[in-house]
Amino acid sequence: MTSYDRRDLGLLLLRLGTGGVLAAHGAQKLFGWFGGHGIAGTGQFMESVGYAPGRASATAAGLAETGGGTLLALGLATPAAGAAAAGAMAGAAAVHTPNGFFNQEGGYEYAATLGLAAVGLAVSGPGRLSLDHVLGHRFDRGWMVPAALAATAAGTALVVGARAQRLRRAKEGEQDPLFEE
């Protein structure tokens, strides 16, 4: 087996693992599968952590995870798939950031890992064992990588920024106790 073959096999395994996990997480949000709460329950959660409207936020996150994950696993439209998944993970990481880095403390470690893997696949490409390769890389052109990542970064910055602003406004109405009991 040549190193080129090993690279393709490694990319396939990374795509299947990362894409499969992302697709399953998205299916929890969209359909309530795998112990998830579906659009209604996820929408309520999204509202509670500052993403509004909750139902639309749940749908967007679910589609980015399910669609991006499925496309990554297939190796199809890899730049857009990786960017969409990374955007969803950036939104998730924003929720977990106050808890620190490590997942065991509720931190952003897991979301960051999935997001970085998705970006890495978008940048590296899917390898020869992919639908992009079979289709002559019609949906995996070099210019698509920076375009997809830039568009997703801009959209994610707007959504996460609006969430932060909502959380700040909600906190302004709260007052710390004057005296400790």
Side-chain angles (χ1 to χ4, degrees), residues 6-94:
R6 287 178 45 207
R7 179 183 177 275
D8 292 325
L9 183 58
L11 287 169
L12 173 65
L13 293 171
L14 185 59
R15 285 192 351 258
L16 290 174
T18 303
V21 168
L22 285 162
H25 276 280
Q28 288 180 309
K29 290 174 180 65
L30 292 176
F31 311 118
W33 296 353
F34 313 116
H37 300 287
I39 293 292
T42 304
Q44 289 174 342
F45 171 76
M46 294 291 230
E47 286 274 349
S48 78
V49 295
Y51 287 113
R55 197 171 177 85
S57 297
T59 302
L63 288 172
E65 291 175 14
T66 303
T70 300
L71 290 173
L72 279 176
L74 295 171
L76 180 61
T78 305
M89 292 301 98

Side-chain angles (χ1 to χ4, degrees), residues 29 44 85-86 90 92 103 109 123 137-139 145 150 161 168:
K29 290 174 180 65
Q44 289 174 342
N103 191 50
E109 169 188 18
V123 171
H137 294 276
R138 209 168 293 150
F139 306 108
V145 175
R168 269 194 305 278

